[in-house]
Amino acid sequence: MLIPRRGRRNPMNSPSPSKAGGGPFLLFGALHAAALAAVWVPWFLGLISPEMALPPSSWHAHEFLFGVVPAVIGGVLLTAAPSRTGHPPPAGWPLIMLLAVWIVGRLSLAGSAALEPMTVALLALLFPVALLAVAGREFLLMRNGRNLTILAVLAVLVGAQGLFHWELWRFGRSIQGTRLAVAALLAWTVLEAGIKPGIAGGWRKAHSPSHPQVPSSRIDGVAMGLGLLALGIWIVQDEGIMNEHLSGALLLAAGFAQAARLARWRPRHAPSGRSVGVLRVSCAFIPAGFLLAAWASLGGGTALNAAALHAWTMGAIGGMALTVMARTAAGHSGPAPTASRLTTGIQLAVAAAACARIAAALDPQRTMLLIPLAGALWIAAFLTFVLLHGRISDRWASGDANRHNHAPT
């Protein structure tokens, strides 16, 4: 994960989150995440019937994986890259055009009933391709090979989105495209890039330098290898390439390995370390997803596949995305920020929403209760982030005005 360098903040040139290149994408990504649930829940329950060429589950999956998530990635990258490269973030017309391309992709899905499938696919792919180009340019300036991982994940997401649209056109739904996108994001955020050490390490350096992070060991290597292999098998599981019981055993082993890896990661429990503890809650959905997918492969039923998918998407990816969004919006150019109770609350709300959605998959008889509950918690979390983002931006703007008024002439 690309984390900005921390150093002493220069009050004269630190841009506010709203003025930084990624600020608008964090804002629109959060708004779209809330709108996504507000539309999908009544649509799924049969209360409304929007005119779209996609079924509700496909639209829901597409707009989260290829709408919300790329916006969050773009927001974080465009905010973080300047602190590494010294190159100013996109602003003015370039930023407006990039944001407009993202909005066009969302409108193309909303108006898919009136467009050709190829047109919808091309319009939806414009933003991830543009983001890949912009990120590639920034990373070339960094000359850091580790950032190739991020470019690889963005490239896989572009391929997964193309596969999603092809499957939708050919079969009426997407399985491999959806799973490829989920697997790529999980591999990046946890198994490969190590988002947990980045945030936990930053907190320790600022608050508890005498308690360094637990060093990597063979457990981490085994967990990473098993996780990547199990995710690869999970992507093509329905093609019958591997025996279901064998793939189930592999998913089970990956789940226990991820749980063991998470157990080794021991953030100090202190009020200032709430962000680290809440991140651990989000990461707990990783082994939970593996175990649910294993249970499904070993004969537990298709409902468990849906439970596993939502553990990974809502719980892990959604929770970690919100953590990184809040951290980026707070402007982490100084010491690692302390999580407020409000920030902690919205992150726990996403975790609760994921639990409710998993429970709905496991207990369909309570769908009418659990689906609206999950949607309400999800909407509340992301709308609260929008309000928090605005409050942070206002505070920065007030600081900018005060500095301007007291600047020497």
Side-chain angles (χ1 to χ4, degrees):
M1 185 72 181
L2 183 66
I3 307 254
R5 295 183 189 274
R6 293 185 184 88
R8 188 176 299 277
R9 179 176 295 158
N10 184 344
M12 298 303 295
N13 58 18
S14 294
S16 70
S18 62
K19 294 180 180 179
F25 288 99
L26 297 178
L27 178 61
F28 277 83
L31 286 171
H32 190 53
L36 180 62
V39 173
W40 178 78
V41 169
W43 191 4
F44 178 80
L45 297 177
L47 303 177
I48 61 174
S49 182
E51 291 292 331
M52 294 188 200
L54 288 74
S57 58
S58 295
W59 176 80
H60 173 63
H62 183 282
E63 288 304 279
F64 177 71
L65 293 172
F66 307 119
V68 173
V69 171
V72 173
I73 293 175
V76 173
L77 293 184
L78 294 177
T79 301
S83 68
R84 295 295 185 98
T85 65
H87 189 270
W93 282 109
L95 179 61
I96 293 173
M97 292 300 296
L98 193 60
L99 184 61
V101 167
W102 179 81
I103 293 174
V104 165
R106 314 286 63 78
L107 295 177
S108 69
L109 269 292
S112 57
L115 298 172
E116 292 293 329
M118 179 63 72
T119 303
V120 174
L122 291 176
L123 291 175
L125 283 164
L126 284 176
F127 176 74
V129 172
L131 179 61
L132 182 61
V134 172
R137 174 180 175 274
E138 295 295 327
F139 295 156
L140 286 176
L141 293 174
M142 292 182 194
R143 297 180 180 179
N144 186 342
R146 292 185 61 186
N147 293 322
L148 293 177
T149 302
I150 304 175
L151 293 180
V153 170
L154 289 174
V156 171
L157 282 179
V158 171
Q161 189 172 359
L163 178 59
F164 184 101
H165 285 278
W166 181 82
E167 287 184 302
L168 192 64
W169 169 74
R170 184 70 175 82
F171 306 111
R173 63 171 183 164
S174 171
I175 296 178
Q176 272 72 43
T178 300
R179 291 186 176 187
L180 179 60
V182 172
L185 292 168
L186 290 175
W188 176 40
T189 55
V190 176
L191 303 177
E192 175 65 21
I195 187 174
K196 295 180 292 183
I199 292 180
W203 176 80
R204 281 193 177 88
K205 288 179 183 178
H207 299 284
S208 185
S210 62
H211 297 289
Q213 185 180 316
V214 178
S216 298
S217 71
R218 291 183 180 180
I219 293 177
D220 297 287
V222 170
M224 184 183 297
L226 282 174
L228 292 173
L229 181 59
L231 286 172
I233 295 300
W234 175 71
I235 293 171
V236 296
Q237 188 177 42
D238 292 348
E239 300 298 319
I241 295 177
M242 181 179 285
N243 179 274
E244 288 189 357
H245 289 84
L246 185 58
S247 62
L250 181 58
L251 287 164
L252 189 66
F256 283 123
Q258 292 302 315
R261 187 186 187 194
L262 184 62
R264 293 182 66 251
W265 183 56
R266 301 184 183 93
R268 295 287 168 179
H269 296 289
S272 58
R274 281 192 297 264
S275 59
V276 180
V278 173
L279 181 63
R280 191 177 184 178
V281 173
S282 299
C283 291
F285 285 98
I286 298 289
F290 277 111
L291 296 177
L292 287 167
W295 189 4
S297 296
L298 296 174
T302 57
L304 288 164
N305 277 324
L309 186 64
H310 286 92
W312 281 332
T313 53
M314 290 184 69
I317 298 173
M320 286 187 284
L322 193 59
T323 299
V324 175
M325 289 165 69
R327 192 162 175 262
T328 302
H332 42 173
S333 56
T338 298
S340 67
R341 288 185 175 85
L342 183 59
T343 302
T344 302
I346 63 177
Q347 292 165 333
L348 292 177
V350 167
C355 289
R357 183 63 184 89
I358 293 168
L362 298 177
D363 187 4
Q365 294 183 348
R366 291 182 170 81
T367 294
M368 296 297 291
L369 170 65
L370 293 172
I371 292 293
L373 175 61
L377 289 169
W378 181 271
I379 292 168
F382 280 93
L383 287 184
T384 304
F385 169 81
V386 171
L387 296 176
L388 181 64
H389 183 280
R391 190 174 68 180
I392 292 172
S393 298
D394 289 342
R395 187 165 62 244
W396 274 83
S398 299
D400 291 342
N402 291 335
R403 287 193 295 268
H404 179 73
N405 291 335
H406 292 87
T409 57

